[in-house]
Amino acid sequence: MRLNDAELQRLDLHQRIQRALRALILDGALAPGLKLPATRSLATSLGVARDTVENAYVQLHRDGFIVRREGSGSYVAETLGNELQGIARQRPRPREARRSETAAAEPGLSRRGRMILDSGGVSDQQVVRAFATGLPETRTFPIDVWLRLQRQAMKDYRATVLLHGDPQGAEPLRKAIATYLNLERGAACTPEQILVLSSTRQALFLCAQLLVDAGKPILLENPGYYGARKAFESAEARVVPIDVDALGIRTDLLRADRSGANCVYVTPSHQYPTGATLPLARRLELVNWAAENGRWIIEDDYDSEFHYDGLPTACVQGLDKYQRTLYVGTFSKTLSPGLRLGYMVLPQPLVRAFTHARSIMDGHTPQILQLTLARFMEDGHYNAHVRAMRKLYAGRRASMFEAIGRHLDGIATAMRPPGGLQMPCLLDEGWSEERTIRLAANAGVQLPGLSRLYAGEERKQGWLLGYSSLNAMEIEAAMLRLAKALRSK
């Protein structure tokens, strides 16, 4: 491994000389069998003490890069000839070194590895920027309460929190999650069914690995969550889109499907990205469809806590008496994405398999975070925070809807969702999604495109605008910048 200049400066002088000579040997500038300068001569040329060069030569000799012959001098080891020729053959020529990252990284990757590389991964927003999606308001996070509870957990559990944890999750947190879901989301689960994870994306990756064989189909909503599609495609599953309408996924198309898929991914409480809420009749039909055919439902309940119009509907998992539903939840939207905490509610027969897979993937989530969150929930802070955020986000949704109407008339039409953290907008005729995204970026505004969430040729042009991390003034200022950028071209 080559060190950069800053790292080299932290080494002792004899180490820097040794590294420099080693690099020249590896690069072929000092050929095998070449006699090196005497230590006194090289020391004089470099302006250093002879002992410094001697120490460098000693280390090179120990590592096998040079040989030292008494009365004759020091030479580059001739035994390196074949090995260095092999390195030279593999090293890219200057023109090849300027190839694209994808082309340069392909050698040695598996078929799946190349597919993941070509997919480009999934980018998360690391700073607050209008109008990035999925970012909660973190400025009001009760950090003082959190730190106090974390200190309590450290004091009570002491060194045990520094050891490996249960791959399924800390029992206190699993109990707190089960209690919350049963009371607030109408779920029907026990702590033994809970698997604590780092994120929704990890949950979906586990589903892709354990439920769908390579080359086999899986059903996804169309349009739908981009991260879910990426997770299943990375496992070499064949994604089959099922269209949604104003009420959510079309269960009639599910029943008509003949792909042979044994799994469907849905967002019934707040369809991503349209915002539709799947009515009770369709939820029951979804459950019956899975039970009759021995299939699995992956229910992503990513932001159901934030429902503003009327009462939220019960989750599908609580309606499923046949145990065919895998419920996915996250604390990234309700608390903070930086905590990296999510969970699944699994049918009992799947718990061991998913726990084993999780143990292979990354072992467990940090115990101190789990134990702190458990107390945060047990003491009522979590529910209080969610209620406060629900009120805050409802106001921001109204600010966003009004700002779009004021400033983007004739450009885009907002679709007011019943809940969630983002608002879909459809572009009016004559406007190009690609062009508006480019113009907005020049003005410092991020417009997440809507068309990429569609599968197939029919793709609606528009944006999915996040508003939860911006206050009313920030929404207004960003909307003014956006309107100016779009209308000036």
Side-chain angles (χ1 to χ4, degrees):
M1 180 180 69
R2 300 293 177 90
L3 301 180
N4 59 38
D5 291 342
E7 291 170 327
L8 280 171
Q9 290 302 316
R10 290 196 291 268
L11 296 177
D12 291 338
L13 186 56
H14 78 275
Q15 291 176 308
R16 299 208 295 270
I17 295 173
Q18 180 257 337
R19 292 293 181 99
L21 290 171
R22 186 179 70 176
L24 290 171
I25 294 171
L26 289 173
D27 288 340
L30 300 180
L34 179 72
K35 185 177 182 180
L36 297 176
T39 55
R40 187 185 302 276
S41 174
L42 184 57
T44 301
S45 297
L46 297 177
V48 298
R50 182 183 178 186
D51 284 348
T52 300
V53 177
E54 175 63 23
N55 288 336
Y57 276 25
V58 167
Q59 187 61 52
L60 288 169
H61 177 64
R62 288 175 180 169
D63 293 341
F65 285 92
I66 68 174
V67 293
R68 311 192 77 182
R69 300 169 187 159
E70 189 174 354
S72 177
S74 300
Y75 300 81
V76 177
E78 294 184 6
T79 56
L80 294 176
N82 293 334
E83 286 79 2
L84 291 177
Q85 287 178 14
I87 292 174
R89 284 194 298 271
Q90 296 175 30
R91 184 177 292 122
R93 295 186 296 275
R95 180 174 296 180
E96 292 174 326
R98 293 192 293 269
R99 293 183 303 171
S100 69
E101 179 183 344
T102 299
E106 278 185 3
L109 288 177
S110 66
R111 183 181 73 251
R112 180 176 293 175
R114 289 194 298 271
M115 185 171 61
I116 292 174
L117 175 65
D118 292 341
S119 75
V122 177
S123 298
D124 289 313
Q125 191 66 34
Q126 298 179 9
V127 296
V128 176
R129 186 180 180 189
F131 293 101
T133 59
L135 286 180
E137 174 57 81
T138 56
R139 290 170 290 193
T140 58
F141 183 83
I143 189 67
D144 292 337
V145 173
W146 183 270
L147 291 175
R148 174 172 57 82
L149 295 175
Q150 183 170 280
R151 287 193 296 270
Q152 289 178 4
M154 286 291 294
K155 180 180 179 181
D156 292 345
Y157 289 93
R158 296 187 178 275
T160 58
V161 301
L162 304 178
L163 300 174
H164 286 293
D166 185 344
Q168 190 175 345
E171 186 177 9
L173 180 55
R174 289 191 283 114
K175 287 181 177 179
I177 292 173
T179 299
Y180 169 77
L181 292 177
N182 292 338
L183 292 177
E184 300 293 335
R185 295 296 301 122
C189 64
T190 65
E192 290 71 33
Q193 293 175 258
I194 305 294
L195 175 63
V196 178
L197 299 169
S198 64
S199 65
T200 294
R201 211 170 294 158
Q202 186 180 44
L204 296 177
F205 189 81
L206 287 174
C207 289
Q209 297 295 321
L210 273 66
L211 300 182
V212 187
D213 289 323
K216 297 297 183 181
I218 179 171
L219 309 179
L220 265 69
E221 298 170 322
N222 181 40
Y225 175 44
Y226 190 68
R229 192 200 317 164
K230 287 288 186 182
F232 290 109
E233 288 178 345
S234 70
E236 299 184 271
R238 179 165 57 89
V239 173
V240 177
I242 300 293
D243 289 346
V244 305
D245 59 18
L247 299 179
I249 191 168
R250 289 182 53 185
T251 48
D252 61 318
L253 296 181
L254 276 182
R255 290 198 172 278
D257 174 67
R258 297 294 180 267
S259 67
N262 73 328
C263 200
V264 61
Y265 168 84
V266 291
T267 51
S269 295
H270 182 215
Q271 202 280 326
Y272 192 94
T274 66
T277 298
L278 198 67
L280 178 59
R282 287 198 187 181
R283 290 173 184 242
L284 294 174
E285 191 172 356
L286 177 63
V287 168
N288 291 331
W289 169 86
E292 292 168 6
N293 298 280
R295 294 167 175 170
W296 300 111
I297 301 167
I298 303 173
E299 178 184 11
D300 187 351
D301 209 25
Y302 63 100
D303 66 359
S304 61
E305 287 86 356
F306 305 119
H307 193 92
Y308 317 123
D309 299 339
L311 296 175
T313 55
C315 64
V316 171
Q317 193 274 345
L319 302 172
D320 181 10
K321 62 182 179 181
Y322 307 105
Q323 288 279 297
R324 305 302 305 176
T325 302
L326 295 80
Y327 180 96
V328 179
T330 180
F331 294 102
S332 291
K333 305 295 187 294
T334 53
L335 294 177
S336 162
L339 291 177
R340 308 315 297 150
L341 283 166
Y343 57 90
M344 295 183 74
V345 180
L346 295 163
Q348 197 61 51
L350 296 181
V351 172
R352 286 185 62 197
F354 273 75
T355 302
H356 289 175
R358 195 283 161 84
S359 72
I360 295 170
M361 180 178 288
D362 67 345
H364 59 88
T365 304
Q367 291 200 78
I368 186 60
L369 293 179
Q370 295 187 64
L371 296 171
T372 303
L373 178 55
R375 296 186 176 208
F376 193 79
M377 298 180 76
E378 292 165 356
D379 293 353
H381 301 296
Y382 181 73
N383 281 355
H385 183 68
V386 168
R387 286 194 299 269
M389 292 299 98
R390 186 182 296 133
K391 182 178 180 180
L392 182 71
Y393 296 156
R396 293 182 177 183
R397 180 190 64 158
S399 297
M400 174 70 89
F401 189 77
E402 293 165 3
I404 293 171
R406 280 196 306 272
H407 302 298
L408 299 182
D409 183 42
I411 298 177
T413 302
M415 302 165 62
R416 185 185 180 110
L421 308 180
Q422 52 269 329
M423 182 173 295
C425 297
L426 297 179
L427 283 171
D428 292 349
E429 188 174 352
W431 289 90
S432 162
E433 178 183 293
E434 181 180 358
R435 183 168 177 269
T436 59
I437 290 175
R438 185 175 64 254
L439 293 174
N442 293 335
V445 177
Q446 180 171 329
L447 292 181
L450 200 58
S451 63
R452 70 190 182 102
L453 305 179
Y454 285 82
E457 295 182 1
E458 186 178 346
R459 298 168 181 260
K460 292 186 178 180
Q461 297 280 301
W463 320 309
L464 189 63
L465 303 183
Y467 55 79
S468 51
S469 60
L470 306 171
N471 61 36
M473 292 181 62
E474 291 166 338
I475 289 172
E476 179 70 12
M479 197 62 68
L480 281 169
R481 289 204 313 274
L482 175 60
K484 181 179 180 181
L486 297 182
R487 295 188 190 279
S488 63
K489 301 294 181 179

